[in-house]
Amino acid sequence: DADVTQTPRNRITKTGKRIMLECSQTKGHDRMYWYRQDPGLGLQLIYYSFDVKDINKGEISDGYSVSRQAQAKFSLSLESAIPNQTALYFCATSAPGQGGNEQFFGPGTRLTVL
Amino acid sequence: RKEVEQDPGPFNVPEGATVAFNCTYSNSASQSFFWYRQDCRKEPKLLMSVYSSGNEDGRFTAQLNRASQYISLLIRDSKLSDSATYLCVVNIGRNFNKFYFGSGTKLNVKP
């Protein structure tokens, strides 16, 4: 079984709809991240969390919100989806440690906003 | 200015060739460095960390030049299976909390 899972894997929605992307992990890591990837661009950090009570904005948090329901779960919400939020979304986890440890990614959610 | 910049490629090379990618980073406070591999429409996966003294893992060699703020990846004896996008990643932050990704360099290895 995958260590980092994301649901749904694909989603098509309409402008103005609220949607939630979910991420679960079995790696026991405290740190979790949400990224989006657009063609020709690197992964951009949306939000990150170092534990259940710690939530931080990334580079492009506008239009998004997150919830860390438990150590293993980190959800990303689009309050009112717009077409330029069409992208590939990745959740990632890492363990704390000197030097910034390896990140483990989920398989991604492909979101299309019409 | 982007934190991490890479030549997008594509680099089209024959099997068996040696190919090298460079990546530059803008923040001199960058703490740690990585190369990730991403196959089409899949999640990135760690290829190797990059250490100050340089490091090698089989056919792959990574180098770091802090003075010039760039890292490199050398692939020897390219295989068809090496075809992918290679992402340069740097980690910045007091608590190593932020990872910045380059947009990736695409490699196509041809028979």
Side-chain angles (χ1 to χ4, degrees):
Chain A
D1 286 343
D3 294 320
V4 184
T5 58
Q6 292 183 233
T7 56
R9 295 293 311 279
N10 290 282
R11 178 76 183 268
I12 299 173
T13 191
K14 293 183 178 180
T15 297
K17 294 290 187 182
R18 181 182 189 276
I19 65 164
M20 179 182 290
L21 309 183
E22 301 195 11
C23 176
S24 294
Q25 53 113 346
T26 58
K27 298 193 74 67
H29 290 165
D30 288 326
R31 299 184 176 192
M32 297 188 74
Y33 307 77
W34 274 105
Y35 293 92
R36 67 176 277 174
Q37 186 175 35
D38 298 277
L41 298 179
L43 277 72
Q44 296 175 274
L45 182 63
I46 306 172
Y47 271 94
Y48 63 99
S49 168
F50 278 9
D51 64 40
V52 174
K53 297 179 181 180
D54 176 78
I55 303 289
N56 303 281
K57 292 183 178 181
E59 305 166 80
I60 55 163
S61 57
D62 287 348
Y64 301 95
S65 62
V66 291
S67 173
R68 185 82 184 266
Q69 301 96 321
Q71 188 208 35
K73 296 183 181 296
F74 193 34
S75 300
L76 176 73
S77 293
L78 284 68
E79 299 302 325
S80 178
I82 55 176
N84 76 1
Q85 291 178 312
T86 293
L88 183 56
Y89 289 84
F90 288 106
C91 172
T93 74
S94 71
Q98 191 75 9
N101 287 331
E102 176 183 0
Q103 289 194 306
F104 296 86
F105 287 83
T109 295
R110 188 165 298 278
L111 175 66
T112 302
V113 183
L114 301 176
Chain B
R1 183 181 177 185
K2 291 183 181 179
E3 293 283 350
V4 181
E5 303 220 39
Q6 296 181 248
D7 180 345
F11 285 62
N12 299 307
V13 302
E15 271 187 291
T18 295
V19 62
F21 311 136
N22 285 335
C23 159
T24 58
Y25 60 94
S26 61
N27 192 327
S28 60
S30 298
Q31 303 275 12
S32 51
F33 310 87
F34 309 87
W35 283 101
Y36 278 72
R37 171 192 169 127
Q38 186 175 25
D39 293 295
C40 187
R41 297 174 179 264
K42 297 289 184 70
E43 72 272 24
K45 294 185 179 179
L46 181 68
L47 178 66
M48 58 196 304
S49 300
V50 186
Y51 303 123
S52 296
S53 56
N55 49 298
E56 187 174 307
D57 182 1
R59 297 181 294 107
F60 299 86
T61 300
Q63 296 279 353
L64 168 64
N65 185 318
R66 284 190 182 271
S68 300
Q69 296 184 197
Y70 78 83
I71 67 173
S72 63
L73 177 67
L74 181 76
I75 305 175
R76 291 181 300 277
D77 189 23
S78 299
K79 311 292 185 190
L80 294 176
S81 58
D82 294 333
S83 296
T85 297
Y86 291 84
L87 306 176
C88 172
V89 184
V90 304
N91 183 283
I92 305 169
R94 189 177 303 170
N95 295 316
F96 307 101
N97 56 338
K98 290 189 176 181
F99 293 84
Y100 289 90
F101 288 73
S103 55
T105 297
K106 187 168 177 56
L107 173 65
N108 296 317
V109 181
K110 307 290 188 181

